[in-house]
Amino acid sequence: MLHAAVLLPFLAAFFIPFIYRGVKQVHLGWFVLAVPILLFGYFLTFINGVLKGVHTLKTFEWIPSLGVNVTFFIDGLGLFFALLITGIGSLVVLYSIYYLSKAEKLGHFYVYLLLFMGAMLGVVLSDNLFVLYTFWELTSISSFLLIGYWYQREKSTSGALKSMVITVFGGLAMLGGFLLMSDITGTTSIRGIIENADLIVNSPLFTFILILVLLGAFTKSAQFPFHTWLPDAMEAPTPVSAFLHSATMVKAGIYLVARLSLVFAGTDLFFLIVSGFGLLTLCWGSYMAVRKTDLKAILAYSTISQLGMIMAMLGFGTKAAILAAVFHILNHATFKGSLFMVAGIIDHETGTRDIRRLGGLFTFMPITATLALIGTFSMAGFPLPILNGFLSKEMFFKSSLHFEHASPIVEAVSPFFPYFAVGGSIFTFIYSVMIFFRTFTGKQRDTLEKQPHEAPIGMLISPMILVALVVIIAIIPDTFGHLLLAPMVDSVTNLVVDPHIKFWHGLYNPELYMSLAVLIFGTLLYMTRTKWVRIYDVLPGKMSAAKVFDALMNGMVKGSEKVTNIYMTGSLRHYLVYILTFFIALLAITMSVTGGFTLSFDDLAPIALPEVMIAVVMAVAAFGTIFMNNRIAAILVLGIVGYGLSLLFVFFRAPDLALTQLIVETVTVALFLLCFYHLPDLDKEKSSSGTKVVNWVISISVGVIVTLIGIASHSTKMFEPISDYFIKNSYKLGGGDNIVNVILVDFRGLDTMLEILVLGLAAIGIFTMIKLRPGKKGGNE
Amino acid sequence: MQRSNDLILKTTTTIIVFIIMGFSIYLFFAGHNAPGGGFIGGLMTSGALVLLYVSYGFKTMERVIRFDFKNFIPIGLLIAVLTGVGSFFFGQPFLSHTDAYFELPILGHTHLATAILFDLGVYFTVVGVTMTIILNIAADEGEEELSKQNM
């Protein structure tokens, strides 16, 4: 049943194109809507079990021999994310029905969206590391498809490519970490790994594993410095941004860190990396968001900074911090989802998302404005009892003040954390306020393409539900705390918490003053923002992550092109130099390392005078060919070497070889002459003296190496030769006295057969080259 | 191109070709027990043929030799492969050879080996290959000479 639930979106994705073709009158989204709603209802039924501590586990054997089985597992954490995915998924599908017109390619859109939903469910419910990885990459791919949905726009495709490159880079790093983890613990199950956590923590590869796994989590969750893909992913249709890039996919990394917290948490390295980068992302994201003028870009940077905040809390690792983190995941999903939808509505009804051109929309769009008001103020953490963002922000401040484990490093860095937290929150306050006031208040500009008016009710339903949730959660946080958050904290830390969330902490609590500081400084800075906005020219200046990424990509393409151009010159001489140099280096190194060179004079035949004379003549002729300036003469002199060889065969008593060599040499010399005679009179290539020296060195080294190998191999006799067998059995088995011929046609007949095949192919090759030249008949060559 | 009257060359060729042919056939048959065999025999035969082409020219030879040397290549390869396949019929592995003595009508007590069939395949292939290469290159040169003269 659980497997069917995860499979349902994939199945639906398979049937969607058929429905799309068949039913034209009804918007395709209505058919899709049933899927997430059904799943949401199905997952709701698990709440009771999870509350009682019953964890559902279902296994389907996939590759049992490798321990890779599709095991789905429902505990507090997985159930919460499953509800989030299907719940927000239903709202997004509903919203998209009104957002996307029927003229768009709806079939594509919903297939990708359903694929993504299924993959995301797989990620959060998998118990098997490698199944999790499979679904993880599937989310990357479907997100790539969704970002590039309007593929005719260049910005969409480049944004899709960027997100693909970064998330797949992280995904592969994560796979490496997973492999090491499963290798060390001997299991592929996440629960099994958690049970054997001490094996991983104490292994020498721990640092390596942690960094690899966190690379995966950080790239997916857009942590600094990998956050640069998220603003570019805003080219996707707004429902996609609301679903993937605020509520679900970017939280996959958060999920992974939370899921593996039981393995890594408690170590200093985990604490430093996760909370350090989390805080850095929080500050950088909120700082950069203030600079942006596009609504979706502001929301994208805001998402980055909020994810950094959640990540930081996961890094703190205390009970209170984890509770705050999971609470903020829920809150962020509600208000950020609604804000994206509001941004989509504004875009849809006015034709622009640029806050410099918007203003005074309150009178035209009162409902949208109210929704935006609650969403942005909740994001800012405005101290009102109906805003859930304030509650989780207070908890964040509180958790940044108290740390449980007391290693020297933690004590050294932790005092700085509250300042970062407050700093990041001040900027969060500024951009949240900026979104609302610059869009909905002030003067109305008359440059808009459309006359602004209120959105259709269907488009407003989804953000209304989300904003209602914002308020409901804020009013009755304890109910949600008991139902969802407590089981989640339990699965992240194995501790039972009392999820009692208060609005008022009393007058003497530092977090109250931190919130007040945020409120006061935020208001002041917002009022005076025209004065200090120039600071952005200094920082980031030219060093934004997007520019670094572009420079890196360009550098890699250009750099590899340069490297390739250096050695791929197109000159055969150069390639020959490489090949021979490697040949020499390999053989020389092998011979010197293994001590392979031996010299023995045991088995040498006496040297006769004619042999010496022939050898001298051949050597002189060989040298002569090098210095010949005339090609024809060089060929003829080379012939001397060939005939000398056949003479040597005679002296070495190899009549068959001598005969063959004689005829073959004649034929080749004749053919060479024929070809060279007709070659055009080109000037001889004049090579520089440096090249000549290199050529000399290489050819002499090749000669020396081959000679040494020849001597060495003659001096080492490991086995008796098998030629005795041939001599004895040539007549008995082969029926002939000519041993060479009997070997050729009888003992080793297969070689001969293939050699005549080679000859035949050569002849056919020559025939085709001569007869079937292009342009031969037309004569236009 | 004006051809000179090369009567001496033609006459000697007529005699010498028979000698070379005979020698090549000798080499082919002697292969099993003395130096020689299909490869050298084939090369020698091609030598004789080339000599004929050199002295009598293409046009004359086209009338004398009607078959295409290209066909020798597949024929030779086929003979060699079939010889190997033949051993399957006797339940032997590929390319197993056998030999035996036979009483033949004219030759009397004769030693025959299946290896000679394989050698025959080699012989045909080598002749086909050599002649194809040489004749094609030569014909191509001739054509180019012609096209140069026409220009």
Side-chain angles (χ1 to χ4, degrees):
Chain A
M1 193 58 187
L2 190 52
H3 283 90
V6 177
L7 203 62
L8 184 65
F10 296 108
L11 265 182
F14 180 78
F15 287 111
I16 281 300
F18 298 108
I19 301 175
Y20 186 50
R21 298 244 170 127
V23 186
K24 288 283 180 199
Q25 296 81 18
V26 189
H27 195 287
L28 186 64
W30 291 112
F31 297 102
V32 179
L33 188 58
V35 175
I37 290 180
L38 258 177
L39 288 174
F40 186 70
Y42 173 70
F43 283 119
L44 277 179
T45 60
F46 284 93
I47 287 187
N48 240 334
V50 168
L51 277 181
K52 286 176 194 145
V54 184
H55 294 171
T56 316
L57 183 75
K58 293 273 161 61
T59 302
F60 173 79
E61 291 204 337
W62 183 21
I63 317 172
S65 54
L66 295 177
V68 179
N69 294 318
V70 186
T71 305
F72 289 132
F73 174 66
I74 288 195
D75 63 348
L77 187 64
L79 180 64
F80 171 79
F81 272 97
L83 286 172
L84 192 70
I85 292 158
T86 49
I88 305 262
S90 317
L91 297 176
V92 161
V93 171
L94 180 66
Y95 176 76
S96 69
I97 293 172
Y98 292 91
Y99 186 83
L100 292 172
S101 77
K102 277 204 252 176
E104 301 273 6
K105 285 183 177 155
L106 291 177
H108 293 205
F109 181 80
Y110 286 110
V111 165
Y112 302 158
L113 199 71
L114 284 169
L115 277 183
F116 173 79
M117 195 183 289
M120 202 61 212
L121 281 176
V123 167
V124 299
L125 296 178
S126 291
D127 178 54
N128 190 294
L129 280 180
F130 301 105
V131 175
L132 192 154
Y133 172 75
T134 311
F135 284 116
W136 184 278
E137 291 298 12
L138 207 52
T139 63
S140 293
I141 293 166
S142 48
S143 148
F144 167 79
L145 291 169
L146 282 167
I147 296 170
Y149 176 63
W150 286 309
Y151 55 86
Q152 302 91 340
R153 300 183 191 171
E154 206 226 319
K155 271 187 159 182
S156 295
T157 51
S158 70
L161 187 66
K162 193 173 182 178
S163 79
M164 184 78 161
V165 167
I166 292 180
T167 53
V168 167
F169 159 74
L172 286 174
M174 190 183 81
L175 177 64
F178 283 0
L179 286 168
L180 287 175
M181 275 162 68
S182 76
D183 192 43
I184 289 172
T185 57
T187 172
T188 54
S189 150
I190 291 177
R191 285 167 316 119
I193 282 169
I194 287 172
E195 277 165 22
N196 296 316
D198 50 332
L199 282 179
I200 292 177
V201 174
N202 296 326
S203 92
L205 289 170
F206 173 69
T207 315
F208 204 48
I209 295 174
L210 183 66
I211 289 172
L212 284 177
V213 172
L214 286 183
L215 263 181
F218 280 12
T219 48
K220 202 75 161 181
S221 284
Q223 300 292 299
F224 188 86
F226 305 111
H227 63 273
T228 172
W229 65 267
L230 189 60
D232 285 10
M234 289 304 128
E235 293 302 320
T238 302
V240 171
S241 307
F243 187 37
L244 274 69
H245 307 126
S246 74
T248 54
M249 185 173 100
V250 288
K251 292 203 173 105
I254 301 277
Y255 165 81
L256 189 75
V257 172
R259 177 57 90 200
L260 295 175
S261 251
L262 282 175
V263 180
F264 297 127
T267 59
D268 283 347
L269 197 64
F270 179 80
F271 174 80
L272 284 178
I273 297 180
V274 176
S275 48
F277 274 94
L279 286 174
L280 188 60
T281 314
L282 163 68
C283 295
W284 185 254
S286 57
Y287 173 72
M288 290 294 284
V290 178
R291 181 199 194 193
K292 296 289 163 186
T293 53
D294 180 70
L295 273 180
K296 274 176 87 176
I298 299 174
L299 290 174
Y301 275 105
S302 138
T303 305
I304 292 168
S305 101
Q306 304 275 318
L307 290 169
M309 176 173 150
I310 298 169
M311 201 59 104
M313 287 188 276
L314 287 176
F316 295 164
T318 57
K319 229 178 359 175
I322 300 291
L323 180 63
V326 295
F327 190 38
H328 198 69
I329 296 173
L330 174 66
N331 295 342
H332 178 248
T334 54
F335 65 68
K336 192 52 66 64
S338 69
L339 283 178
F340 266 111
M341 290 174 184
V342 164
I345 291 172
I346 293 169
D347 188 16
H348 210 261
E349 305 305 334
T350 63
T352 181
R353 294 194 311 245
D354 194 330
I355 54 172
R356 285 169 302 187
R357 297 175 60 198
L358 293 167
L361 290 179
F362 202 104
T363 42
F364 298 101
M365 311 166 84
I367 303 173
T368 315
T370 315
L371 297 176
L373 180 73
I374 298 174
T376 49
F377 276 55
S378 177
M379 181 160 74
F382 209 79
L384 281 176
I386 57 156
L387 300 174
N388 60 2
F390 171 68
L391 300 179
S392 48
K393 187 145 287 182
E394 284 267 278
M395 289 163 76
F396 169 55
F397 287 151
K398 190 177 176 187
S399 66
S400 73
L401 291 168
H402 307 288
F403 295 103
E404 272 167 6
H405 57 290
S407 79
I409 304 174
V410 175
E411 278 176 4
V413 295
S414 55
F416 299 103
F417 282 3
Y419 298 103
F420 279 105
V422 172
S425 301
I426 290 174
F427 280 94
T428 307
F429 186 86
I430 298 172
Y431 71 71
S432 304
V433 172
M434 192 172 81
I435 292 178
F436 180 74
F437 283 106
R438 291 194 63 177
T439 313
F440 292 101
T441 64
K443 269 200 303 192
Q444 197 229 329
R445 319 279 160 89
D446 47 11
T447 51
L448 297 177
E449 288 138 42
K450 300 178 184 173
Q451 176 60 36
H453 57 84
E454 190 57 85
I457 183 69
M459 220 180 211
L460 285 168
I461 292 175
S462 298
M464 272 174 169
I465 293 174
L466 285 171
V467 166
L469 272 174
V470 168
V471 177
I472 293 170
I473 292 171
I475 293 171
I476 46 163
D478 286 357
T479 314
F480 285 88
H482 276 296
L483 286 178
L484 293 171
L485 304 185
M488 242 172 119
V489 177
D490 180 35
S491 18
V492 178
T493 61
N494 254 344
L495 295 169
V496 180
V497 289
D498 166 35
H500 184 55
I501 296 159
K502 287 180 291 186
F503 170 68
W504 180 248
H505 291 274
L507 201 58
Y508 298 104
N509 281 312
E511 55 262 33
L512 179 71
Y513 298 106
M514 286 161 86
S515 282
L516 278 179
V518 169
L519 190 64
I520 293 165
F521 278 107
T523 317
L524 281 178
L525 281 174
Y526 176 70
M527 299 295 185
T528 58
R529 69 180 184 283
T530 44
K531 303 234 167 44
W532 54 268
V533 81
R534 275 187 169 179
I535 194 177
Y536 285 103
D537 297 336
V538 186
L539 187 79
K542 286 178 178 160
M543 280 304 292
S544 79
K547 281 176 185 147
V548 173
F549 178 83
D550 289 343
L552 262 178
M553 292 299 274
N554 280 333
M556 271 200 273
V557 171
K558 284 200 179 123
S560 48
E561 204 176 290
K562 263 185 196 156
V563 171
T564 313
N565 282 340
I566 286 174
Y567 71 91
M568 296 294 282
T569 54
S571 158
L572 277 180
R573 286 165 186 249
H574 290 168
Y575 302 156
L576 211 58
V577 167
Y578 308 149
I579 294 170
L580 291 177
T581 313
F582 273 100
F583 174 79
I584 296 162
L586 201 66
L587 290 176
I589 290 170
T590 312
M591 220 182 331
S592 60
V593 168
T594 60
F597 183 71
T598 48
L599 186 60
S600 95
F601 295 99
D602 293 345
D603 201 19
L604 294 183
I607 301 169
L609 187 63
E611 288 161 15
V612 176
M613 283 163 64
I614 296 167
V616 168
V617 169
M618 282 169 74
V620 169
F623 256 101
T625 48
I626 304 176
F627 297 105
M628 288 289 167
N629 276 327
N630 187 318
R631 283 192 291 242
I632 305 285
I635 297 296
L636 289 175
V637 174
L638 200 61
I640 296 177
V641 180
Y643 289 126
L645 190 63
S646 77
L647 255 181
L648 274 186
F649 282 142
V650 171
F651 280 102
F652 293 152
R653 281 169 295 166
D656 294 86
L657 288 186
L659 265 175
T660 316
Q661 170 68 23
L662 198 65
I663 300 175
V664 168
E665 185 63 33
T666 313
V667 171
T668 40
V669 166
L671 286 179
F672 265 133
L673 285 178
L674 203 62
C675 299
F676 277 53
Y677 180 73
H678 289 282
L679 276 185
D681 271 332
L682 296 173
D683 283 335
K684 194 180 173 191
E685 195 179 316
K686 291 211 169 47
S687 38
S688 67
S689 54
T691 326
K692 270 187 186 164
V693 169
V694 171
N695 289 349
W696 273 101
V697 169
I698 286 179
S699 27
I700 289 173
S701 326
V702 169
V704 169
I705 289 279
V706 172
T707 313
L708 287 180
I709 290 176
I711 293 173
S713 64
H714 182 265
S715 304
T716 38
K717 284 251 159 29
M718 290 188 168
F719 312 102
E720 283 301 306
I722 59 165
S723 48
D724 286 343
Y725 174 82
F726 290 135
I727 295 169
K728 276 181 198 147
N729 293 302
S730 149
Y731 190 78
K732 207 161 65 190
L733 294 176
D737 284 330
N738 183 349
I739 301 165
V740 175
N741 203 39
V742 169
I743 291 174
L744 280 180
V745 299
D746 198 335
F747 290 129
R748 298 277 166 82
L750 196 64
D751 295 354
T752 313
M753 176 179 287
L754 295 177
E755 274 155 24
I756 58 175
L757 183 68
V758 169
L759 280 180
L761 286 177
I764 292 166
I766 289 171
F767 175 74
T768 46
M769 278 203 295
I770 289 174
K771 292 285 177 192
L772 305 178
R773 274 181 302 197
K776 186 176 164 82
K777 276 183 185 154
N780 49 8
E781 206 176 27
Chain B
M1 208 161 45
Q2 188 73 35
R3 268 189 95 94
S4 54
N5 191 5
D6 40 10
L7 182 68
I8 295 173
L9 179 65
K10 282 182 180 168
T11 315
T12 36
T13 298
T14 336
I15 300 162
I16 286 175
V17 160
F18 279 105
I19 296 170
I20 302 178
M21 276 292 193
F23 182 56
S24 78
I25 290 165
Y26 163 72
L27 278 175
F28 173 71
F29 280 112
H32 227 49
N33 294 310
F39 197 84
I40 306 169
L43 281 177
M44 275 288 172
T45 308
S46 336
L49 289 168
V50 168
L51 187 58
L52 277 176
Y53 274 90
V54 168
S55 18
Y56 287 98
F58 268 94
K59 278 184 187 160
T60 325
M61 288 310 291
E62 262 170 26
R63 266 182 282 127
V64 177
I65 297 175
R66 296 301 181 89
F67 43 77
D68 193 342
F69 285 107
K70 278 199 299 296
N71 297 339
F72 275 40
I73 304 171
I75 291 172
L77 286 173
L78 209 61
I79 293 174
V81 173
L82 286 180
T83 317
V85 171
S87 56
F88 288 148
F89 292 107
F90 302 97
Q92 297 290 323
F94 188 62
L95 269 178
S96 308
H97 289 301
T98 180
D99 62 298
Y101 287 92
F102 293 96
E103 295 297 331
L104 292 181
I106 303 165
L107 295 168
H109 190 68
T110 315
H111 179 211
L112 288 181
T114 50
I116 198 85
L117 285 172
F118 186 78
D119 238 1
L120 190 69
V122 176
Y123 175 86
F124 270 110
T125 316
V126 170
V127 173
V129 167
T130 330
M131 294 313 289
T132 310
I133 293 174
I134 291 176
L135 291 185
N136 272 305
I137 291 179
D140 192 56
E141 296 305 329
E143 271 176 37
E144 258 170 34
E145 292 292 322
L146 279 178
S147 63
K148 264 182 204 163
Q149 281 166 9
N150 290 344
M151 270 198 298

